[in-house]
Amino acid sequence: MDALDTKLTGVFDGKVVRKDLLHRIKKGTNVPTFVLEFLLARFCASDDDDEIQAGLEAVLDTLQDNYVRPNEANMAQSKVATKGKYRFIDKVHVNYVEKDKRHWAALENFDSRRVAIGEKFYRDNDRLLQGGLWAEIAIAYNEIEDDDYTFYIEDLRPIQLSRFDYAAYCEGRSQFSREEWLDVILRSMGLEPAKLTHRVKLHFIARLLPLVEPNYNFIELGPRGTGKSYFFSEFSPYSTLISGGQATKATLFYNNQRKKIGLVGFWDTVAFDEVGGIKIKDPDTIQIMKDFMANGRFSRGVEVIADASMAFVGNLDLSVSQIVNSEVYDLFQPLPKEFDLAIMDRFAAYLPGWEMPKNSSEFLTGNYGFITDYLAEAFHHQLKHTNRYEEVSQRIKLGQAVEGRDEKGIKKTVAALLKILHPSGPPDDDEFDEYVAYATECRRRVKEQMNKRKSDDEFALINLSFINSKGQDTIVFCPESKSAIATQEPARKNIHHPTGESDQKSARPSVPSVKTEAETPAPESSCADLQEAIEPIIPVLKEQHFTIQYGATGFSYESLMSPYLVNAKAVLIEDPYIRANHQIQNFVRFCETLVKQATIRKITLVTSYDDKTDLKEMASRLDELKQSLLEMDIQLEIKVNENLHDREIRIDNGWIIKIGRGLDFYQKPDSWYGIGSTDLSLRRCLETKVDIYQG
């Protein structure tokens, strides 16, 4: 323990945990961070090594006995049936089924979607009805034959704090300096601040801003592997992450048929992962999104007001130097085409993801930090019950180039920084100037990119500035584009000229060359030359690591895998659960995806079975499929491995696809005559992780 550990454990006794313990357990399990820390706080609240070791064993035993893994659902159900009652840790969803005129609980890994639940549970926990909630659940077996359910929830305890004392949190903060508190927050995120520069520390804090400020619109684009989506998927139980698929107005905002508010009404932050892959088919969705991002309200027959922030994260495929020095590209390049300038103008901050370090164990801390759930409760309280915007408005002074949305975005960013770093009082003048400068830079990055896209001067006032505490008007630049002429003075197109020739007559190249110290300057090239050179480039396939959320749609085998099957001749699929009727049907659909690739000649299935499997029926159905594939000149080879546990798809072109649940990641349709019964892209999914990478 260092001095900060000693101070933190003394002031916030019982609310901190050693973060290296989390790292040690996290590597061996797929349980969310706040669930693990919930258990660590229960069993490892000590600084004695022997007690901590015993606590770790207790945590592992609890996970072994009570955490339901996706491939152990049958065993978990058997435990309840034989023992009458059992306590599990699982994610619970509650759905109202209209034809039954009642609510049913769906347990994600327990794999039962018709569990009886008492009204008090979903009345006291709204998020059970939208998005689900991790909890300790006592599941009991129903022996009454006339009832139409097998299991019911006897007790449910959310894995969250039952009560939170914000006054005590603020009192504790007052005993730390700003730098100490900054390091405490970073250690609570699992990072070691001694390994980070001050600027990168602020970047990590900026990722948390949507969790504390209502209706805060945030975007981070950058390289892969920097942990962009972690904070929204695991850091807080009050945020939800949408990974790809379709973003519909009914899911996000309001379902007119069910008269139910969407995700924005139940979560503090709605984050969009891999934002470039979001499919928005209904133009109304974008219009409602614009309204909501502007003022936190929208109308769909009824007026809806909600506090949810919106965060967008994604990947840049070109280097930042290429982009800022290009007249063709801008830093919003990965966004869906439906995201127009009106959407972009609503972003309060653009975090430079390219400045963030790649995920590495060298940046992980072994010191103490807040239990994630405790800090999440503090942030949730601040989002709902504190307002620092007026305090910022009275103190801040902005330059003449700052326009309406610029001012709002800068003030909201500063207000959010104050909530995280100064919950107990105002910062001093130097600290306040630092926050204003950082907020101004993050907003300028948004405005510079809009200015590059616009053919007129609507967003030309990019030299955003503020008057500091010494009375100096300070212009803030973005480091990556400060000397990039293509960004600072983008060429305007002449809309009346048949070739779109630039109105500017300067001799400067439209796209300055990017050179290293060892290179000589490249010859000047025109914008048309660059465009001609760039257009034939086809983006290369990239690795993907994401989570399909419970209830998401838009994920068929074809949409997930087709791009990675190009030129493939042989595919090996290892999945122990191709045995039940619906699982074999899923495998048939998978084979149909492969058949559409004209080069496929061999499919190998490695699977297994248990003592409940009807081997005769399983063999008969797979043999029918084998004969059908032979007619298309494709060989199907089937192997049995009784010890098979992992699920993966290996393609002979080098790509490997791992889906946590294998091919069986779809929910059973409510009706075989409903939408999604035959088209898998419209069928709702179970939650599962997807990893696509080169072998």
Side-chain angles (χ1 to χ4, degrees):
M1 293 177 67
D2 61 14
L4 187 58
D5 283 338
T6 303
K7 191 172 184 178
L8 183 64
T9 54
V11 176
F12 289 98
D13 183 35
K15 300 176 179 65
V16 296
V17 67
R18 237 177 64 191
K19 292 294 175 172
D20 60 323
L21 303 180
L22 173 66
H23 306 324
R24 284 160 63 179
I25 294 182
K26 182 68 176 171
K27 292 178 181 177
T29 181
N30 197 24
V31 186
T33 297
F34 53 85
V35 175
L36 290 176
E37 291 193 348
F38 172 81
L39 296 173
L40 287 171
R42 175 188 292 177
F43 294 109
C44 300
S46 171
D47 56 4
D48 181 85
D49 286 342
D50 292 337
E51 290 183 14
I52 286 176
Q53 186 58 41
L56 283 175
E57 293 175 5
V59 171
L60 292 173
D61 288 344
T62 300
L63 291 174
Q64 181 66 36
D65 294 338
N66 303 107
Y67 175 69
V68 186
R69 289 165 180 80
N71 60 347
E72 296 175 349
N74 188 53
M75 183 169 61
Q77 293 180 12
S78 176
K79 278 184 180 180
V80 177
T82 55
K83 296 186 177 184
K85 181 171 66 176
Y86 206 86
R87 185 172 291 275
F88 293 106
I89 296 173
D90 201 353
K91 193 171 185 180
V92 188
H93 307 257
V94 174
N95 304 298
Y96 179 73
V97 179
E98 189 174 0
K99 68 178 181 180
D100 295 342
K101 296 183 179 180
R102 65 171 296 173
H103 291 79
W104 292 107
L107 275 66
E108 196 158 295
N109 293 339
F110 188 76
D111 197 23
S112 180
R113 279 165 285 283
R114 199 178 177 86
V115 179
I117 184 170
E119 181 183 352
K120 67 173 183 176
F121 296 121
Y122 56 81
R123 186 184 62 228
D124 295 341
N125 301 282
D126 285 344
R127 284 184 301 121
L128 286 171
L129 294 162
Q130 186 74 33
L133 187 69
W134 280 92
E136 285 186 304
I137 318 114
I139 304 176
Y141 183 72
N142 180 29
E143 296 182 350
I144 302 174
E145 293 184 2
D146 293 340
D147 287 343
D148 56 353
Y149 59 90
T150 306
F151 306 107
Y152 65 93
I153 292 177
E154 187 176 87
D155 186 36
L156 183 147
R157 186 165 69 168
I159 295 181
Q160 299 172 229
L161 295 178
S162 57
R163 56 181 61 89
F164 175 74
D165 188 342
Y166 183 65
Y169 174 77
C170 292
E171 171 61 28
R173 161 62 182 96
S174 66
Q175 301 182 46
F176 293 80
S177 69
R178 196 286 295 265
E179 293 306 318
E180 286 176 333
W181 191 253
L182 179 60
D183 289 353
V184 165
I185 299 296
L186 290 168
R187 283 183 174 177
S188 300
M189 295 159 68
L191 301 165
E192 180 47 54
K195 303 289 182 67
L196 306 172
T197 66
H198 184 72
R199 178 172 171 82
V200 172
K201 288 181 183 181
L202 284 181
H203 289 341
F204 277 110
I205 296 297
R207 283 180 171 174
L208 304 176
L209 301 185
L211 298 175
V212 298
E213 183 68 14
N215 304 130
Y216 185 81
N217 305 312
F218 167 92
I219 184 168
E220 179 186 354
L221 302 176
R224 294 162 184 80
T226 59
K228 292 186 291 293
S229 57
Y230 163 80
F231 299 97
F232 306 112
S233 62
E234 297 202 14
F235 188 77
S236 172
Y238 292 103
S239 68
T240 186
L241 183 71
I242 299 174
S243 299
Q246 293 185 27
T248 66
K249 56 179 180 282
T251 301
L252 290 174
F253 301 109
Y254 192 82
N255 189 318
N256 276 332
Q257 298 298 319
R258 297 186 176 183
K259 308 298 182 188
K260 295 283 187 181
I261 192 170
L263 295 174
V264 297
F266 290 89
W267 300 92
D268 290 355
T269 303
V270 177
F272 298 82
D273 194 14
E274 300 288 352
V275 63
I278 292 176
K279 300 176 180 64
I280 302 173
K281 295 184 177 180
D282 188 345
D284 286 351
T285 303
I286 286 292
Q287 187 55 51
I288 296 172
M289 184 180 287
K290 290 176 187 176
D291 294 342
F292 182 75
M293 291 174 71
N295 51 33
R297 66 178 65 199
F298 60 89
S299 178
R300 287 208 70 205
V302 295
E303 185 80 9
V304 178
I305 301 174
D307 290 330
S309 295
M310 287 196 149
F312 302 84
V313 295
N315 302 318
L316 287 174
D317 291 324
L318 298 176
S319 76
V320 175
S321 294
Q322 285 178 302
I323 294 172
V324 298
N325 287 289
S326 166
E327 296 285 3
V328 179
Y329 290 119
D330 59 65
L331 290 171
F332 282 136
Q333 176 259 332
L335 296 183
K337 64 181 186 301
E338 293 88 357
F339 279 35
D340 56 16
L341 289 169
I343 289 281
M344 298 170 192
D345 198 18
R346 286 159 168 77
F347 291 133
Y350 186 143
L351 183 67
W354 49 89
E355 295 186 23
M356 304 297 277
K358 289 274 191 177
N359 291 336
S360 170
S361 58
E362 75 172 289
F363 295 108
L364 300 179
T365 188
N367 297 83
Y368 281 83
F370 283 123
I371 297 170
T372 301
D373 194 44
Y374 178 75
L375 195 59
E377 288 294 333
F379 290 169
H380 174 67
H381 179 93
Q382 289 175 308
L383 183 137
K384 293 293 185 182
H385 304 294
T386 65
N387 186 346
R388 306 294 290 274
Y389 191 85
E390 286 305 313
E391 174 188 338
V392 171
S393 297
Q394 292 173 10
R395 189 170 175 180
I396 198 170
K397 296 178 182 177
L398 298 171
Q400 292 184 350
V402 176
E403 299 174 295
R405 287 215 169 105
D406 303 328
E407 179 179 356
K408 182 180 179 181
I410 292 169
K411 287 181 177 180
K412 287 180 78 70
T413 300
V414 176
L417 287 168
L418 296 190
K419 288 183 179 182
I420 294 175
L421 297 175
H422 302 271
S424 57
D428 63 34
D429 287 343
D430 289 340
E431 291 167 345
F432 189 78
D433 286 348
E434 179 186 9
Y435 303 147
V436 177
Y438 186 81
T440 305
E441 177 197 319
C442 290
R443 175 59 191 179
R444 175 172 180 145
R445 189 169 288 112
V446 173
K447 203 167 186 184
E448 283 184 351
Q449 309 316 307
M450 294 192 297
N451 188 42
K452 286 185 76 172
R453 289 198 172 197
K454 201 72 164 69
S455 59
D456 59 21
D457 292 334
E458 180 179 354
F459 302 110
L461 296 178
I462 60 174
N463 284 329
L464 306 186
S465 66
F466 71 101
I467 290 85
N468 63 22
S469 57
K470 299 179 178 63
Q472 301 164 331
D473 192 349
T474 306
I475 297 176
V476 181
F477 290 90
C478 301
E480 72 278 358
S481 61
K482 183 175 181 179
S483 58
I485 298 176
T487 297
Q488 300 304 316
E489 301 176 25
R492 303 298 187 201
K493 298 293 182 182
N494 185 343
I495 61 175
H496 301 294
H497 195 284
T499 62
E501 185 179 294
S502 172
D503 283 336
Q504 297 180 358
K505 302 300 181 182
S506 64
R508 69 172 175 83
S510 295
V511 185
S513 59
V514 180
K515 59 186 179 64
T516 64
E517 292 178 358
E519 294 176 330
T520 56
E524 294 184 358
S525 58
S526 68
C527 185
D529 291 337
L530 177 80
Q531 212 162 3
E532 185 178 348
I534 287 178
E535 281 175 358
I537 297 177
I538 300 173
V540 296
L541 291 174
K542 57 182 182 290
E543 291 189 359
Q544 294 195 64
H545 305 274
F546 60 93
T547 300
I548 297 174
Q549 297 295 322
Y550 184 91
T553 58
F555 296 97
S556 65
Y557 300 135
E558 193 165 349
S559 67
L560 282 173
M561 304 175 195
S562 286
Y564 300 92
L565 293 170
V566 175
N567 297 325
K569 295 182 176 60
V571 175
L572 167 67
I573 175 169
E574 295 182 347
D575 191 328
Y577 295 99
I578 307 294
R579 52 177 82 149
N581 183 42
H582 75 280
Q583 294 166 343
I584 296 174
Q585 287 179 345
N586 285 339
F587 182 62
V588 172
R589 292 187 175 102
F590 172 73
C591 290
E592 289 173 342
T593 298
L594 299 182
V595 167
K596 294 176 183 178
Q597 303 295 322
T599 55
I600 296 290
R601 287 293 170 263
K602 183 176 181 180
I603 303 170
T604 303
L605 168 65
V606 182
T607 189
S608 67
Y609 59 88
D610 57 19
D611 53 5
K612 296 182 180 180
T613 305
D614 187 333
L615 291 177
K616 184 176 180 181
E617 188 174 347
M618 173 183 170
S620 173
R621 289 169 176 166
L622 288 175
D623 190 58
E624 284 185 41
L625 175 59
K626 182 184 293 187
Q627 296 303 316
S628 178
L629 286 168
L630 280 176
E631 295 177 8
M632 298 189 173
D633 199 24
I634 297 175
Q635 177 189 356
L636 172 61
E637 181 180 2
I638 300 171
K639 299 179 180 180
V640 175
N641 182 347
E642 295 182 11
N643 298 317
L644 184 64
H645 296 290
D646 291 339
R647 302 169 169 96
E648 70 177 26
I649 300 166
R650 288 184 172 269
I651 308 170
D652 67 347
N653 60 13
W655 287 99
I656 297 174
I657 301 173
K658 284 194 173 186
I659 304 175
R661 292 180 179 270
L663 297 181
D664 190 14
F665 62 87
Y666 296 103
Q667 297 182 30
K668 182 180 178 181
D670 294 333
S671 166
W672 288 108
Y673 299 96
I675 297 299
S677 60
T678 59
D679 188 341
L680 292 182
S681 67
L682 298 174
R683 189 179 298 184
R684 287 192 286 269
C685 300
L686 299 168
E687 184 169 311
T688 188
K689 290 188 178 296
V690 179
D691 296 287
I692 305 176
Y693 56 93
Q694 284 278 9

